[in-house]
């Protein structure tokens, strides 16, 4: 009889796991980076055992079919944004912080940096209004999120440099409305930002071990190829003899 954990998962089961992860994110149990990483893993899971690893450290019970996220404050009547302003200076927000309302960034001959990778996102969509006047606004997100960037750029630039998830996947959304005048507003992913120092997650270690045990599956993160067996056609090079010591005066 087959092990129930080795049963192949369906698309519906993957979507249910992703919704479970989104609920955990709203409750503050996962950062945006953790949510994105686990969501990507959920869509690539092959067995029920692999899917279970992604939610093993979260409260039990499958999420209800209702929307995981409460309506954004802006959609409920326009609550005030949380602003980050730099006028001939800099304003930076990194590390662990909470996003529970829309954000605003203004750079006037200055620089604003918002790093969302370790943020706890309590809203359905990360909504950002960014303005750059002869300044720069940089928004750092995990690769794999869905970025929506629109707005106006006059004698300036607005761009997205993020490795996004495949179309049709239910991944976190970062929506940016940009207004640029002789400045720059850009959204960049992990691959174009300074990497974070983060501890190795227990679920990732178990996940990699399970993926490596599947028939025909190569172990991820295996960078170096295995050593090749010795062959008589290519014998190993003998060690070089030691160099004789130099005599005085030579």
């Amino acid at each position: 009889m087959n092990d129930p954990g080795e049963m192949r998962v369906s698309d519906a089961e993957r979507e249910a796991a992703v919704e479970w992860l989104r609920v955990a994110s709203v409750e503050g149990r996962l950062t945006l980076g953790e949510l994105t990483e686990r969501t990507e893993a959920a869509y690539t899971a092959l067995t029920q055992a692999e899917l279970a690893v992604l939610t093993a450290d979260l409260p039990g019970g499958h999420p209800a079919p209702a929307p995981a996220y409460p309506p954004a404050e802006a959609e409920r009547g326009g609550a005030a944004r949380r602003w980050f302003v730099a006028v001939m200076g800099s304003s930076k927000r990194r590390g662990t912080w909470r996003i529970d309302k829309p954000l605003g960034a203004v750079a006037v001959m200055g620089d604003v940096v918002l790093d969302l990778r370790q943020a706890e996102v309590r809203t359905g969509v990360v909504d950002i209004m960014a303005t750059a006047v002869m300044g720069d606004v940089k928004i750092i997100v995990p690769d794999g999120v869905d970025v929506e960037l629109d707005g106006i750029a006059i004698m300036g630039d607005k761009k997205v440099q993020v490795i996004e998830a495949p179309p049709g996947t239910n991944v976190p959304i970062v929506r940016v409305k940009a207004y640029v005048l002789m400045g720059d507003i850009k959204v960049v992913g992990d691959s174009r930002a300074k990497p974070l120092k983060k501890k190795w997650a227990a679920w990732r270690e178990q996940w990699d071990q399970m993926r490596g045990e599947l028939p025909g599956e190569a172990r991820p993160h295996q960078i170096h190829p295995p050593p090749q067996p010795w062959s008589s056609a290519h014998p190993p090079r003998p060690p070089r003899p030691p160099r004789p010591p130099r005599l005085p005066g030579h």
Side-chain angles (χ1 to χ4, degrees):
M1 185 174 181
N2 293 335
D3 184 354
E6 295 303 318
M7 294 291 292
R8 295 275 174 161
V9 296
S10 65
D11 290 339
E13 289 172 317
R14 293 188 183 95
E15 291 292 345
V18 169
E19 189 68 13
W20 193 344
L21 295 171
R22 288 164 62 89
V23 171
S25 174
V26 172
E27 295 173 344
R29 304 180 192 276
L30 298 174
T31 66
L32 181 61
E34 292 170 333
L35 172 61
T36 305
E37 186 180 26
R38 295 197 193 197
T39 297
E40 179 183 0
Y43 280 114
T44 60
L46 300 179
T47 66
Q48 292 181 356
E50 291 178 4
L51 212 55
V53 169
L54 303 177
T55 55
D57 58 348
L58 301 176
H62 290 280
Y69 290 136
E73 294 290 341
E75 297 174 0
R76 288 199 305 235
R81 293 178 180 270
R82 180 179 180 182
W83 289 95
F84 299 87
V85 180
V87 179
M88 301 182 67
S90 63
S91 175
K92 300 179 180 181
R93 191 63 176 91
R94 304 179 185 272
T96 303
W97 55 299
R98 178 181 297 184
I99 299 177
D100 52 9
K101 62 178 62 177
L103 304 178
V106 177
V108 180
M109 301 178 65
D111 300 282
V112 175
V113 177
L114 301 180
D115 191 338
L116 310 184
R117 292 174 291 178
Q118 293 181 300
E120 296 178 1
V121 179
R122 303 299 183 92
T123 58
V125 177
V126 180
D127 180 271
I128 304 175
M129 180 180 294
T131 302
V133 180
M134 300 178 66
D136 301 300
V137 175
K138 182 179 181 181
I139 302 166
I140 306 174
V141 301
D143 282 317
V145 302
D146 185 9
V147 178
E148 300 177 2
L149 173 63
D150 60 7
I152 301 173
I154 301 175
M155 299 179 66
D157 194 15
K158 59 182 180 68
K159 57 187 174 182
V160 177
Q161 298 174 318
V162 178
I163 302 174
E164 298 189 0
T169 54
N170 192 8
V171 297
I173 299 175
V174 176
R175 184 175 297 149
V176 181
K177 189 76 171 181
Y179 301 94
V180 185
L181 176 61
M182 301 176 66
D184 293 283
I185 294 178
K186 56 186 176 181
V187 185
V188 301
D190 280 314
S191 57
R192 292 181 174 269
K194 183 178 180 179
L196 292 175
K197 293 182 179 180
K198 54 184 180 180
K199 60 183 179 180
W200 190 256
W203 75 267
R204 172 59 70 180
E205 182 177 358
Q206 187 175 356
W207 170 273
D208 285 349
Q209 181 180 4
M210 297 174 66
R211 298 286 285 185
E213 292 174 353
L214 287 176
E217 292 284 341
R219 281 187 181 273
H221 312 302
Q222 186 176 7
I223 301 175
H224 302 288
Q228 299 297 324
W230 177 81
S231 171
S232 59
H234 300 280
R237 179 179 298 179
R240 178 179 297 178
R243 179 179 297 179
R246 299 185 62 180
L247 298 177
H250 291 278

